Amino acid sequence: MDGITATSARILEIRQLIGTTTPRSTTVAAGSGDAFAAALSAAVDGTTTSASTARNAQGVPADLAAYGNGKVPRDALSEIGSTGHRLWAPAGQALEQLLAAAERDGVDIGITDSYRSYDAQVDVARRKGLYSQGGLAAQPGTSPHGWGVAVDLDLDDAAQKWMRANAGRFGFVEDTPREPWHWVYKT
C-alpha cells in the first residue's frame, strides 16, 4: 500500500508541475515537436512562472525557509479559495483539488485552521498545552502549520473516512496521533 501511496503522490506532483508550468516565451509553432521540447526545456531549467515545490533537507519548503517557521509573510502564501485560510502554494493547490474531489463525492470538508504565525503557535500552546506533555500543540516554531503545510479540518465521520481513503492521492497525510483533524502536505 505504501508503494501505491508514493506513486499517487508522485503522479500528483507531476500533474501539478505540468498544470502550472508555463514557458516564459517561445516562438515555435504550437502543435509542433519543437513546442513540446521548448516547454520541457523550460520546466527542466526552472524557467517557469510556477511556485517551487522544492524542500530543504528538513522538509521545509525551500522558498519559505529563509523566513522562519511562523514568520512567513502573508503574500508568500496562497489563499485557499475564499475561505480566508492560507497555505504554501503547492499545498494550497492540492487542498483545493482535494476539496473539489470530496465535494464531487458528496462529502463536506471544512477548514478550521491553516497557516499559523509564531505568535498564534505560542497562543495555541498556552491554551492547549504541548503535545509532548499530553496537550495538542507543537513546540512553537516547530509546527508544520508555521510553514503553511498543515491544515486542521472540520470532519464528520463520513469526511474522516473519505480523507483516510483519499487524502494520500493529493499529498496529505494524517501524521499526528490524537489529532484526526490535522493533515500535513508531504509531497
Side-chain angles (χ1 to χ4, degrees), residues 52-162:
S52 170
T53 58
R55 295 193 188 223
N56 67 19
Q58 292 74 39
V60 172
D63 52 343
L64 303 182
Y67 299 116
N69 185 298
K71 308 224 183 267
V72 180
R74 182 174 178 81
D75 63 352
L77 298 168
S78 177
E79 188 162 345
I80 304 162
S82 59
T83 66
H85 289 279
R86 300 180 85 71
L87 289 174
W88 176 48
Q93 291 166 359
L95 183 62
E96 286 181 340
Q97 292 170 357
L98 179 151
L99 294 172
E103 184 177 357
R104 283 191 301 275
D105 289 345
V107 175
D108 185 39
I109 296 174
I111 303 170
T112 60
D113 205 2
S114 54
Y115 171 75
R116 198 176 286 157
S117 70
Y118 183 83
D119 290 341
Q121 292 177 54
V122 169
D123 179 61
V124 170
R126 181 187 53 75
R127 289 184 295 107
K128 297 186 177 184
L130 292 175
Y131 195 85
S132 63
Q133 299 169 359
L136 295 175
Q139 180 71 36
T142 67
S143 173
H145 284 284
W147 293 117
V149 296
V151 64
D152 291 345
L153 301 175
D154 183 12
L155 305 167
D156 62 16
D157 289 342
Q160 187 71 53
K161 183 178 178 181
W162 188 94

